[in-house]
Amino acid sequence: MTETQRETRSFETEVSQLLHLMVHALYSNREIFLRELISNAADACDKLRFEALAQPDAINQPPQLTIDVSVDKEAREIRITDNGIGMSRDEVVANIGTIARSGTKEFVSRLTGDQKKDAQLIGQFGVGFYSAFTVADRVTLETRRADAPEDAAVRWESEGTGSYILEDCSRGLPGTEVTLHLKEDADEFLESYRLRHIITRYSDHVAFPIRMPQQDDDGKATEEWETVNRASALWTRPKSEISEEEYREFYKHVAHDFEDPTAWVHSHVEGRQQYTTLFYIPKRAPFDLWDRDRRHGVKLYVKRVFIMDDADQMLPNYLRFVRGVVDSSDLPLNVSREILQSNRLVDSIRSGSVKKILGLLDSIAENEPEKYAEIWTNFGRVLKEGPGEDYANREPIAKLLRFASTHNSDDTQNVSLAEYKARMKEGQKAIYVVTADSAAAARNSPHLEVFRKHGIEVLLLSDRVDEWLLSHLDSFDGTPIKSVAKGDLDLEEVIGQDKGEADASSASEKDLGDLPERIGKTLGDRVESVRSSKRLVESPACIVLGEHEMALYLQELMKQAGQPTFGSKPVLEVNPGHPLVRRLQEADGAEFDDLATLLFEQALLTEGGQLDDPSGFVARLNRLLLKAA
């Protein structure tokens, strides 16, 4: 190296705010810092093993990969050293100089000032390295990549305030060393027995030896090292030998979460194919669950050798909230993403893994409904993507879906399709649903009026994903799922109208005379047709779409996003018994045109559509108001 590069860089404003929060919000949970730094070191060792297999000429794997923890009481320092893959200068800037490449502003905007809640959020954000500042007022990191020369090492140092120092240095061995210069109130962490306890509690499962200096009879450190943890991959051990506490602590290690998981499933598969899986359902959704650029997945191992930490090919996208590990004995050690995408062994593992997770969720839904309600609150909208992505498991996913319903007085999504079927009326041939862009719009939809009158339950769908869901889930357990706002509606078998009511309905339709044709002529190509409605009881009119048409509110969203909708013209249904419709029969000329157009525009707005001419709508409404005044 011809010149030593030293520079001082400033943190972004959001990062500085987050560092301040790390110091204060996690104060009561400070011992977590050691778990997080050991977890990072274990990841570095995992990556070295993999890269040494992929590039044997460029990277030499040491005889033993280790993580060493030592204490210097006089200097008030803790050192965590690994001989893993290390980092280059650019990697230090990307991985440590900034907290995240995207989403930082959103994260900071969600901070509440509530220490408990913010601490939970931090765990999901995965900023474990910065937990070091809860016990240290200065952190120094020296690192050298395994494929770099001695003089290509990098030193990073910060006091966790507004800036950090980055400079080149020399380092004899590849790997990373993190030195924590402890605060005055962190004396407890200068005691070796305290650090040993933390390692045993949080990191006993780490697959690499975590070593500390042996102590003599006087309690002083010697030059000999001893392994503190069990150093065996937890998922490879028999389930009977693993305690619930060990399962929980391993989840926190693998998911970088501060909270316990909601549930987990651990399985060993033997036979034609051998693999082990351990999957966890988090307690709450990470803030970036809807970030499509975020790479989600589980950790993939082959014969306990780490391959990748975001093996999203192992699980479909609708299960992206699941965390855990997959360890296969059959995949090649030099596995690449290209191999993963077209490998029958991967397909088999993926299929088995999905069935395990869906089975776990089904068991919780059946036996622990309150716990499943929490899972649904956090991940329900993600699960709704399932029928469209995973046709083979459409029925098992459908069993897990929950919806709001007219059967309940609130908008909580807690009604399953099976529960709906059990309450279906005699003669009812379909599961009825209505979609809207809000819970209030769904519950107050005019399409529900005849169903409400006759006590027929309708499921209320108000999530943006629901329209897409219905396009891929047209039945459940042999029963069709039908939108009450689309296509023709035949309820005669369910309603069981007596002759008098049926005759009255027919008479009302006949009383319309040529009104549908007159309205159709006024509206022109804005509608496909105008007809008498069997849906309406209190409202004057409603929009009805084709059986397979996209809801109007979703069509508007697609248009705003610049996407084609290919929507056909809607049908306008009018209520023959409504006073406004009878008034329309008596009108003519410009008044008729205004009333007919307003009737259509009101129905359009009710369905979440947009007016082509809002000012024209206001002018027509004002003319009628002035006339009535």
Side-chain angles (χ1 to χ4, degrees), residues 444-460:
N444 297 315
S445 172
H447 297 94
L448 300 182
E449 292 175 0
V450 70
F451 293 88
R452 190 177 292 114
K453 177 181 178 181
H454 295 281
I456 302 172
E457 183 177 3
V458 179
L459 298 178
L460 309 174

Side-chain angles (χ1 to χ4, degrees), residues 191-204:
E191 302 296 335
S192 293
Y193 74 87
R194 180 76 169 100
L195 299 183
R196 287 169 184 265
H197 172 73
I198 295 172
I199 293 170
T200 302
R201 179 181 179 186
Y202 292 112
S203 305
D204 197 49

